[in-house]
């Protein structure tokens, strides 16, 4: 409850936290920790991310972003993070207070945003307000009700066409391997978290 991190177990698998998180040597307060088979990421109350036991295979994984790493970026220039999430298959995503996305880890499972989504997300009018983790990928909701999803196989699988059109999404959720989006009109659309299946028929909410 005091925001301190205690770890145990195999050191290489995360049993030893970074020295900056040693409860005897730091005043950093952690409010959330997420984990995958690729390691751990913790978010402090000040909006900084700490990672440990993370390893990146250059062929399959994206490294931890330099912009978030104090070893590569001055602390004063590191963006403030407000949300971190992880998938079940070694990928992480983080959202800044300004609505910018960062991803790392397993590329296949969302550790890398594909080109089509990246171009859309980086448009000036798009501000991401929430990231929803799935089994092998992520979905993000923007302030103007747009949904973006990436990860799974194939990585360029399109969202249900009803979502890709002009529908304004108000709620975005995921459970097990399925994402569900609710429009402002009360219509719901679901798709496989692996982005392999066709969308299910829309149902009018009661």
């Amino acid at each position: 409850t005091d925001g301190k991190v205690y770890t145990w177990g195999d050191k290489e698998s995360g049993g030893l936290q970074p020295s900056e998180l040693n409860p005897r040597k730091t005043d950093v307060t952690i409010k959330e920790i997420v984990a995958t088979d690729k390691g751990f990421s913790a978010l402090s109350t000040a909006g900084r991310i700490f990672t440990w036991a993370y390893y990146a295979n250059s062929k399959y994984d994206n490294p931890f972003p330099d912009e978030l790493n104090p070893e590569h970026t001055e602390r004063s220039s590191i963006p403030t993070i407000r949300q971190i999430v992880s998938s079940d298959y070694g990928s992480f995503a983080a959202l800044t207070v300004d609505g910018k996305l960062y991803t790392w880890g397993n590329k296949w499972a969302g550790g890398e945003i594909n080109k089509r989504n990246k171009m859309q997300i980086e448009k000036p009018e798009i501000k991401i307000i929430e990231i929803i983790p799935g089994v092998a990928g992520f979905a993000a909701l923007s302030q103007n009700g747009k949904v973006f999803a990436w990860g799974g196989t194939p990585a360029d699988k399109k969202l249900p066409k009803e979502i890709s059109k002009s529908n304004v999404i108000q709620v975005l959720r995921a459970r097990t391997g399925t994402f569900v989006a609710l429009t402002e009109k009360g219509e719901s659309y679901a798709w496989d978290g692996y982005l392999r299946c066709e969308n299910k028929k829309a149902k009018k909410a009661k």
Side-chain angles (χ1 to χ4, degrees), residues 3 21 27-32 42-50 75-76 78-83 95-97:
L21 294 184
D27 57 358
V28 173
T29 302
I30 296 299
K31 65 178 183 179
E32 187 174 5
L43 179 62
S44 74
T45 53
R48 185 183 161 198
I49 290 179
F50 298 84
R75 292 181 186 274
S76 60
I78 294 177
T80 302
I81 302 299
R82 72 178 187 86
Q83 183 189 10
L95 178 64
T96 72
V97 293

Side-chain angles (χ1 to χ4, degrees), residues 7-151:
T7 60
W8 57 94
D10 184 78
K11 293 181 179 180
E12 294 184 359
S13 299
L16 182 64
Q17 76 269 52
S19 59
E20 292 176 298
L21 294 184
N22 188 321
R24 297 180 180 179
K25 301 179 180 180
T26 185
D27 57 358
V28 173
T29 302
I30 296 299
K31 65 178 183 179
E32 187 174 5
I33 299 175
V34 295
T36 76
D37 59 348
K38 292 288 184 183
F40 298 86
S41 289
L43 179 62
S44 74
T45 53
R48 185 183 161 198
I49 290 179
F50 298 84
T51 63
W52 67 99
Y54 175 70
Y55 61 93
N57 181 309
S58 59
K59 184 178 180 181
Y60 302 107
D61 302 315
N62 256 348
F64 184 61
D66 286 346
E67 295 99 320
L68 305 181
N69 191 341
E71 295 182 3
H72 299 279
T73 302
E74 291 187 11
R75 292 181 186 274
S76 60
S77 299
I78 294 177
T80 302
I81 302 299
R82 72 178 187 86
Q83 183 189 10
I84 56 171
V85 294
S86 61
S87 75
D88 291 351
Y89 287 96
S91 58
F92 298 87
L95 178 64
T96 72
V97 293
D98 297 323
K100 184 175 181 179
L101 282 173
Y102 290 93
T103 59
W104 64 98
N106 189 334
K107 294 179 181 179
W108 170 81
E112 180 177 63
I113 302 176
N114 56 11
K115 186 176 180 179
R116 185 186 70 249
N117 275 311
K118 190 175 180 65
M119 291 176 62
Q120 294 295 318
I121 290 171
E122 291 180 350
K123 288 183 177 180
E125 67 271 22
I126 296 298
K127 180 180 179 181
I128 301 301
I129 58 174
E130 186 178 19
I131 315 169
I132 303 297
V135 172
F138 303 101
L141 179 64
S142 74
Q143 193 172 41
N144 59 353
K146 300 296 182 183
V147 172
F148 306 91
W150 64 96

